[in-house]
Structures are given as structure tokens and as C-alpha cells.
Amino acid sequence: MIYRSRTQIFLDQLPSGNFSLLLKDLKVDDDQKTFFLFHHQDDKNGRTVIQDKKLCITNVKVARGFQTPVVMINYEDRKAECSSTGGYPEPTLTWTHQNGFLDQDIPQIIRDPESGTFNISSTVNITENQILTCSIFNPTLNETLNTTQTTTYQSNRNGSYNVNGDQSNCFKVAVYGGNVRTIPRAHD
């Protein structure tokens, strides 16, 4: 039985009308399972007085929160990628900037075969001076996680670009004689 040693009722609370069922070690496979509560009553002689009367029905909804989205910017390709892992059920991912929604590539959603949880990622084209926000929405938890990244390109007289952002994975991109080198940006 798939629920053996995973369920518990509170016998001391039954007389007060609490028919709660505790389901331990919840798994993704438990999602959308239906549980019925039946009442069966015998008299003091062991004769059935009430035969399996259905009292209530409930549906289990499993959810697991996603990790805070990670936004990585590729300034050479002028793309940003947002990713998050380990949540359930399948989320939605949206990109916005200071003027509204952004057109994005179709999100890549991968389901982990062992845990049944989801990983999601998406890319979007970027331009200068954008405030990008990646939002991941978990419908069962009604939870939205956001990460915001600001991009600024500043041209110097020698033809290099200083790239500023609000995450530590930003780079200074320098162009020397047609070759592109990326140098980790010094932290301010």
C-alpha cells in the first residue's frame, strides 16, 4: 500500500469533529489524489449501525517552492537568461522591463525524473539601460519570485565598454584591435 506508515489520524480529536488526516513524506506523485472519509459504526454488540457512510472528500494538492530566479547577462550576445530549479507544479516565467512585458524565447521546462520537480529557464534580448525583471509564478502556492537586473553600457574614448549591473557576475568588455576579451569587473 502506498500510504502505509505515511498516514495518521488524531483519534483523541474525533469526538470533537476533527477528522484531519496527516499525510507524511509528501511526494509529487501524491498530487491530485483523492481521499474519502467514511464513517462506520457498530453497536456494543458488534452489529453494524451505520455502514460506510461517506462524510467528506478532499483532493491533495502538492506544491514545492522554486529557488530564487538567477539572471545572467551575456553582454556580447546581448541576451539575458533567467533560471530557477526544484519547484512543483510546472511554473510560468515572464520577463518585464520598465516599459512592460518583453518578448521572450519559449521557456525550457525540464522535469527531474527522480524528484518530479521542475527546472525552468528562458532567454530574452537586451538593450542598453534596461531594468529587467524575471518572474516565476507557482500557481498552487500562488507565489511569485522576482529577480531584477539593471544593465548600463557606457562607451569610453578608447572604444571599450564598461558594463554595470546589480549582480556580481558582470564583466568589463574591452575591444582591442577587433579581438574581444572579457575581464571580471572589479567590485566597487
Side-chain angles (χ1 to χ4, degrees), residues 55-67:
L55 295 179
C56 67
I57 181 173
T58 190
N59 222 11
V60 174
K61 292 188 181 195
V62 175
R64 181 174 178 186
F66 282 84
Q67 298 294 313

Side-chain angles (χ1 to χ4, degrees), residues 117-132:
T117 60
F118 290 95
N119 301 330
I120 188 167
S121 65
S122 175
T123 59
V124 67
N125 294 322
I126 60 171
T127 60
E128 296 180 14
N129 300 319
Q130 276 187 309
I131 301 172
L132 303 170

Side-chain angles (χ1 to χ4, degrees), residues 3 22 28 30 35 92 111 124 129 150 153 187:
Y3 296 107
L22 174 63
V28 168
D30 295 323
F35 287 87
T92 56
R111 188 166 186 179
V124 67
N129 300 319
T150 304
Y153 296 83
H187 296 293

Side-chain angles (χ1 to χ4, degrees), residues 37-42 48-55:
L37 174 64
F38 290 93
H39 174 67
H40 181 96
Q41 184 177 348
D42 294 336
T48 299
V49 177
I50 300 174
Q51 173 93 28
D52 298 333
K53 178 180 176 188
K54 189 188 306 184
L55 295 179

Side-chain angles (χ1 to χ4, degrees), residues 59-183:
N59 222 11
V60 174
K61 292 188 181 195
V62 175
R64 181 174 178 186
F66 282 84
Q67 298 294 313
T68 300
V70 174
V71 174
M72 297 179 62
I73 305 254
N74 182 328
Y75 291 100
E76 290 180 33
D77 294 340
R78 293 195 177 251
K79 288 206 174 268
E81 179 181 19
C82 176
S83 61
S84 183
T85 60
Y88 186 86
E90 187 172 313
T92 56
L93 186 151
T94 54
W95 285 95
T96 55
H97 64 100
Q98 60 269 32
N99 297 322
F101 287 95
L102 287 168
D103 290 331
Q104 66 187 27
D105 293 342
I106 295 172
Q108 182 179 17
I109 300 172
I110 299 171
R111 188 166 186 179
D112 183 287
E114 262 185 50
S115 68
T117 60
F118 290 95
N119 301 330
I120 188 167
S121 65
S122 175
T123 59
V124 67
N125 294 322
I126 60 171
T127 60
E128 296 180 14
N129 300 319
Q130 276 187 309
I131 301 172
L132 303 170
T133 299
C134 172
S135 300
I136 295 181
F137 177 69
N138 184 317
T140 301
L141 295 176
N142 197 27
E143 175 182 69
T144 302
L145 300 174
N146 298 308
T147 296
T148 299
Q149 171 77 36
T150 304
T151 62
T152 307
Y153 296 83
Q154 298 171 343
S155 178
N156 295 334
R157 280 185 243 156
N158 66 4
S160 68
Y161 290 90
N162 290 325
V163 180
N164 301 314
D166 64 2
Q167 290 188 350
S168 60
N169 61 347
C170 295
F171 294 91
K172 179 178 181 181
V173 178
V175 180
Y176 300 105
N179 295 322
V180 175
R181 284 184 14 198
T182 57
I183 305 162

